[in-house]
Short mmCIF file of all heavy atoms in Angstrom, two decimals:
data_model
loop_
_atom_site.label_atom_id
_atom_site.label_comp_id
_atom_site.label_asym_id
_atom_site.label_seq_id
_atom_site.Cartn_x
_atom_site.Cartn_y
_atom_site.Cartn_z
N PRO A 4 -11.79 5.09 30.10
CA PRO A 4 -12.70 4.94 28.97
C PRO A 4 -11.94 4.85 27.64
O PRO A 4 -10.84 5.35 27.52
CB PRO A 4 -13.54 6.22 29.03
CG PRO A 4 -12.64 7.22 29.68
CD PRO A 4 -11.86 6.45 30.70
N GLU A 5 -12.58 4.19 26.68
CA GLU A 5 -11.96 4.05 25.36
C GLU A 5 -11.84 5.41 24.69
O GLU A 5 -12.70 6.28 24.83
CB GLU A 5 -12.79 3.10 24.49
CG GLU A 5 -12.82 1.68 25.01
CD GLU A 5 -13.58 0.74 24.09
OE1 GLU A 5 -14.19 1.24 23.11
OE2 GLU A 5 -13.56 -0.47 24.33
N ILE A 6 -10.75 5.59 23.92
CA ILE A 6 -10.41 6.90 23.36
C ILE A 6 -10.94 7.05 21.94
O ILE A 6 -10.75 6.18 21.09
CB ILE A 6 -8.88 7.09 23.36
CG1 ILE A 6 -8.35 7.09 24.80
CG2 ILE A 6 -8.48 8.38 22.64
CD1 ILE A 6 -6.84 7.07 24.89
N SER A 7 -11.60 8.18 21.69
CA SER A 7 -12.01 8.52 20.32
C SER A 7 -10.74 8.82 19.51
O SER A 7 -9.89 9.61 19.94
CB SER A 7 -12.92 9.75 20.33
OG SER A 7 -14.13 9.47 21.00
N SER A 8 -10.63 8.19 18.34
CA SER A 8 -9.39 8.34 17.57
C SER A 8 -9.64 8.00 16.11
O SER A 8 -10.73 7.57 15.72
CB SER A 8 -8.30 7.43 18.14
OG SER A 8 -8.66 6.07 18.00
N PHE A 9 -8.59 8.18 15.33
CA PHE A 9 -8.64 7.90 13.89
C PHE A 9 -7.74 6.70 13.60
O PHE A 9 -6.59 6.65 14.05
CB PHE A 9 -8.18 9.12 13.09
CG PHE A 9 -9.05 10.32 13.31
CD1 PHE A 9 -8.88 11.13 14.42
CD2 PHE A 9 -10.08 10.62 12.43
CE1 PHE A 9 -9.69 12.23 14.65
CE2 PHE A 9 -10.91 11.70 12.64
CZ PHE A 9 -10.71 12.51 13.76
N SER A 10 -8.27 5.77 12.84
CA SER A 10 -7.52 4.54 12.61
C SER A 10 -7.29 4.29 11.13
O SER A 10 -8.03 4.77 10.27
CB SER A 10 -8.25 3.34 13.22
OG SER A 10 -9.49 3.13 12.56
N MET A 11 -6.25 3.53 10.87
CA MET A 11 -5.92 3.12 9.51
C MET A 11 -5.28 1.74 9.62
O MET A 11 -4.52 1.47 10.56
CB MET A 11 -4.94 4.11 8.88
CG MET A 11 -4.66 3.91 7.41
SD MET A 11 -3.56 5.20 6.75
CE MET A 11 -4.62 6.65 6.84
N ASP A 12 -5.58 0.86 8.68
CA ASP A 12 -5.00 -0.48 8.70
C ASP A 12 -3.55 -0.40 8.22
O ASP A 12 -3.26 -0.49 7.03
CB ASP A 12 -5.81 -1.41 7.79
CG ASP A 12 -5.38 -2.87 7.91
OD1 ASP A 12 -4.27 -3.13 8.41
OD2 ASP A 12 -6.15 -3.75 7.47
N MET A 13 -2.62 -0.20 9.16
CA MET A 13 -1.23 -0.01 8.80
C MET A 13 -0.58 -1.30 8.30
O MET A 13 0.38 -1.26 7.53
CB MET A 13 -0.45 0.56 9.99
CG MET A 13 -0.91 1.94 10.42
SD MET A 13 -0.84 3.17 9.07
CE MET A 13 0.93 3.38 8.90
N PHE A 14 -1.09 -2.44 8.74
CA PHE A 14 -0.61 -3.71 8.17
C PHE A 14 -0.89 -3.75 6.67
O PHE A 14 -0.04 -4.13 5.87
CB PHE A 14 -1.30 -4.88 8.87
CG PHE A 14 -0.80 -6.24 8.44
CD1 PHE A 14 0.21 -6.88 9.16
CD2 PHE A 14 -1.33 -6.88 7.33
CE1 PHE A 14 0.68 -8.13 8.76
CE2 PHE A 14 -0.87 -8.11 6.92
CZ PHE A 14 0.14 -8.74 7.64
N LYS A 15 -2.09 -3.30 6.30
CA LYS A 15 -2.46 -3.23 4.89
C LYS A 15 -1.58 -2.24 4.14
O LYS A 15 -1.17 -2.51 3.00
CB LYS A 15 -3.93 -2.84 4.76
CG LYS A 15 -4.43 -2.73 3.32
CD LYS A 15 -5.90 -2.33 3.31
CE LYS A 15 -6.41 -2.19 1.88
NZ LYS A 15 -7.84 -1.77 1.86
N VAL A 16 -1.28 -1.11 4.76
CA VAL A 16 -0.41 -0.11 4.13
C VAL A 16 0.95 -0.73 3.81
O VAL A 16 1.48 -0.58 2.70
CB VAL A 16 -0.22 1.12 5.04
CG1 VAL A 16 0.86 2.04 4.50
CG2 VAL A 16 -1.54 1.88 5.18
N GLY A 17 1.52 -1.44 4.78
CA GLY A 17 2.81 -2.10 4.55
C GLY A 17 2.75 -3.14 3.46
O GLY A 17 3.66 -3.26 2.64
N SER A 18 1.66 -3.91 3.44
CA SER A 18 1.50 -4.95 2.42
C SER A 18 1.42 -4.34 1.02
O SER A 18 2.07 -4.81 0.08
CB SER A 18 0.21 -5.74 2.69
OG SER A 18 0.25 -6.36 3.96
N ILE A 19 0.63 -3.29 0.89
CA ILE A 19 0.49 -2.62 -0.40
C ILE A 19 1.84 -2.06 -0.87
O ILE A 19 2.20 -2.16 -2.05
CB ILE A 19 -0.56 -1.49 -0.33
CG1 ILE A 19 -1.96 -2.08 -0.13
CG2 ILE A 19 -0.53 -0.63 -1.59
CD1 ILE A 19 -3.03 -1.04 0.12
N ALA A 20 2.59 -1.49 0.07
CA ALA A 20 3.87 -0.87 -0.29
C ALA A 20 4.82 -1.87 -0.92
O ALA A 20 5.45 -1.60 -1.96
CB ALA A 20 4.51 -0.25 0.95
N VAL A 21 4.94 -3.06 -0.33
CA VAL A 21 5.88 -4.04 -0.87
C VAL A 21 5.36 -4.64 -2.17
O VAL A 21 6.13 -4.92 -3.10
CB VAL A 21 6.17 -5.15 0.17
CG1 VAL A 21 7.05 -6.25 -0.43
CG2 VAL A 21 6.86 -4.55 1.38
N ARG A 22 4.05 -4.81 -2.29
CA ARG A 22 3.50 -5.30 -3.56
C ARG A 22 3.73 -4.29 -4.68
O ARG A 22 4.03 -4.67 -5.82
CB ARG A 22 2.01 -5.60 -3.41
CG ARG A 22 1.72 -6.78 -2.48
CD ARG A 22 0.25 -7.16 -2.47
NE ARG A 22 -0.04 -8.14 -1.44
CZ ARG A 22 0.17 -9.44 -1.55
NH1 ARG A 22 0.69 -9.92 -2.67
NH2 ARG A 22 -0.13 -10.25 -0.55
N MET A 23 3.60 -3.01 -4.37
CA MET A 23 3.88 -1.98 -5.36
C MET A 23 5.35 -2.01 -5.77
O MET A 23 5.70 -1.88 -6.95
CB MET A 23 3.53 -0.60 -4.81
CG MET A 23 2.04 -0.34 -4.65
SD MET A 23 1.71 1.27 -3.84
CE MET A 23 2.26 2.42 -5.11
N LEU A 24 6.23 -2.20 -4.79
CA LEU A 24 7.66 -2.27 -5.09
C LEU A 24 7.97 -3.46 -5.97
O LEU A 24 8.80 -3.37 -6.89
CB LEU A 24 8.47 -2.34 -3.79
CG LEU A 24 9.99 -2.38 -3.96
CD1 LEU A 24 10.49 -1.12 -4.65
CD2 LEU A 24 10.67 -2.56 -2.60
N THR A 25 7.30 -4.57 -5.73
CA THR A 25 7.51 -5.77 -6.55
C THR A 25 7.21 -5.49 -8.01
O THR A 25 7.94 -5.93 -8.91
CB THR A 25 6.61 -6.92 -6.03
OG1 THR A 25 7.00 -7.27 -4.72
CG2 THR A 25 6.73 -8.15 -6.92
N LYS A 26 6.15 -4.73 -8.26
CA LYS A 26 5.81 -4.39 -9.65
C LYS A 26 6.85 -3.49 -10.28
O LYS A 26 7.15 -3.62 -11.47
CB LYS A 26 4.41 -3.76 -9.69
CG LYS A 26 3.30 -4.75 -9.33
CD LYS A 26 1.94 -4.09 -9.29
CE LYS A 26 0.85 -5.11 -8.93
NZ LYS A 26 -0.49 -4.51 -8.85
N LEU A 27 7.41 -2.58 -9.50
CA LEU A 27 8.47 -1.74 -10.03
C LEU A 27 9.72 -2.56 -10.35
O LEU A 27 10.42 -2.28 -11.32
CB LEU A 27 8.85 -0.64 -9.02
CG LEU A 27 7.85 0.49 -8.81
CD1 LEU A 27 8.42 1.50 -7.81
CD2 LEU A 27 7.51 1.20 -10.11
N LEU A 28 9.98 -3.56 -9.55
CA LEU A 28 11.18 -4.38 -9.73
C LEU A 28 11.06 -5.34 -10.90
O LEU A 28 12.05 -5.65 -11.56
CB LEU A 28 11.47 -5.18 -8.46
CG LEU A 28 12.01 -4.41 -7.25
CD1 LEU A 28 11.95 -5.28 -6.01
CD2 LEU A 28 13.43 -3.94 -7.51
N ASN A 29 9.85 -5.80 -11.17
CA ASN A 29 9.69 -6.90 -12.10
C ASN A 29 9.00 -6.57 -13.41
O ASN A 29 9.05 -7.37 -14.34
CB ASN A 29 8.91 -8.04 -11.43
CG ASN A 29 9.73 -8.71 -10.36
OD1 ASN A 29 10.60 -9.53 -10.63
ND2 ASN A 29 9.49 -8.35 -9.11
N GLU A 30 8.34 -5.43 -13.51
CA GLU A 30 7.57 -5.16 -14.71
C GLU A 30 7.69 -3.69 -15.11
O GLU A 30 8.29 -2.88 -14.40
CB GLU A 30 6.09 -5.50 -14.48
CG GLU A 30 5.86 -6.96 -14.10
CD GLU A 30 4.40 -7.24 -13.81
OE1 GLU A 30 3.55 -6.43 -14.21
OE2 GLU A 30 4.13 -8.27 -13.18
N ASP A 31 7.07 -3.34 -16.23
CA ASP A 31 7.01 -1.96 -16.69
C ASP A 31 6.06 -1.20 -15.77
O ASP A 31 4.85 -1.40 -15.81
CB ASP A 31 6.52 -1.90 -18.13
CG ASP A 31 6.40 -0.48 -18.64
OD1 ASP A 31 6.78 0.47 -17.93
OD2 ASP A 31 5.94 -0.32 -19.79
N SER A 32 6.60 -0.31 -14.94
CA SER A 32 5.79 0.38 -13.94
C SER A 32 4.73 1.29 -14.55
O SER A 32 3.78 1.68 -13.89
CB SER A 32 6.70 1.22 -13.02
OG SER A 32 7.37 2.21 -13.77
N SER A 33 4.87 1.63 -15.82
CA SER A 33 3.92 2.56 -16.43
C SER A 33 2.52 1.96 -16.56
O SER A 33 1.55 2.68 -16.75
CB SER A 33 4.42 2.98 -17.82
OG SER A 33 4.48 1.87 -18.69
N THR A 34 2.41 0.64 -16.44
CA THR A 34 1.12 -0.02 -16.59
C THR A 34 0.39 -0.18 -15.26
O THR A 34 -0.67 -0.76 -15.21
CB THR A 34 1.29 -1.40 -17.25
OG1 THR A 34 2.09 -2.22 -16.38
CG2 THR A 34 1.97 -1.28 -18.59
N HIS A 35 0.97 0.32 -14.19
CA HIS A 35 0.40 0.07 -12.87
C HIS A 35 0.10 1.38 -12.14
O HIS A 35 0.73 2.40 -12.38
CB HIS A 35 1.35 -0.78 -12.02
CG HIS A 35 1.62 -2.14 -12.61
ND1 HIS A 35 0.70 -3.14 -12.63
CD2 HIS A 35 2.72 -2.61 -13.24
CE1 HIS A 35 1.22 -4.21 -13.23
NE2 HIS A 35 2.44 -3.90 -13.61
N GLN A 36 -0.87 1.29 -11.21
CA GLN A 36 -1.20 2.44 -10.38
C GLN A 36 0.00 2.78 -9.51
O GLN A 36 0.56 1.93 -8.82
CB GLN A 36 -2.40 2.11 -9.50
CG GLN A 36 -2.89 3.26 -8.65
CD GLN A 36 -4.14 2.90 -7.88
OE1 GLN A 36 -4.76 1.87 -8.11
NE2 GLN A 36 -4.51 3.75 -6.93
N LYS A 37 0.39 4.06 -9.52
CA LYS A 37 1.58 4.47 -8.79
C LYS A 37 1.27 5.22 -7.50
O LYS A 37 2.18 5.47 -6.71
CB LYS A 37 2.47 5.35 -9.68
CG LYS A 37 3.12 4.60 -10.83
CD LYS A 37 4.03 5.54 -11.59
CE LYS A 37 4.71 4.81 -12.74
NZ LYS A 37 5.57 5.72 -13.53
N THR A 38 0.02 5.59 -7.30
CA THR A 38 -0.35 6.32 -6.09
C THR A 38 -1.60 5.71 -5.47
O THR A 38 -2.61 5.53 -6.15
CB THR A 38 -0.61 7.80 -6.40
OG1 THR A 38 0.56 8.38 -6.98
CG2 THR A 38 -0.95 8.55 -5.13
N PHE A 39 -1.50 5.38 -4.18
CA PHE A 39 -2.65 4.91 -3.42
C PHE A 39 -2.96 5.93 -2.33
O PHE A 39 -2.05 6.46 -1.68
CB PHE A 39 -2.35 3.56 -2.76
CG PHE A 39 -2.54 2.38 -3.67
CD1 PHE A 39 -1.53 2.00 -4.55
CD2 PHE A 39 -3.72 1.65 -3.67
CE1 PHE A 39 -1.68 0.92 -5.39
CE2 PHE A 39 -3.89 0.57 -4.50
CZ PHE A 39 -2.87 0.20 -5.38
#
């Protein structure tokens, strides 16, 4: 039987992480959200 569990879109987590890093690399990080 299928298992009851907790899920999270980890592909999305990875995508957000690199986009956040891009902003740190290219712009003033103080203008952007730093915690998701």
Side-chain angles (χ1 to χ4, degrees):
E5 295 183 353
I6 296 172
S7 295
S8 64
F9 298 82
S10 65
M11 188 177 292
D12 188 343
M13 296 303 289
F14 185 94
K15 180 180 178 181
V16 170
S18 300
I19 292 173
V21 175
R22 293 187 189 279
M23 289 175 68
L24 181 62
T25 296
K26 292 176 180 179
L27 288 182
L28 288 167
N29 290 282
E30 301 177 17
D31 179 5
S32 62
S33 64
T34 63
H35 298 288
Q36 184 176 349
K37 291 183 180 178
T38 301
F39 277 83

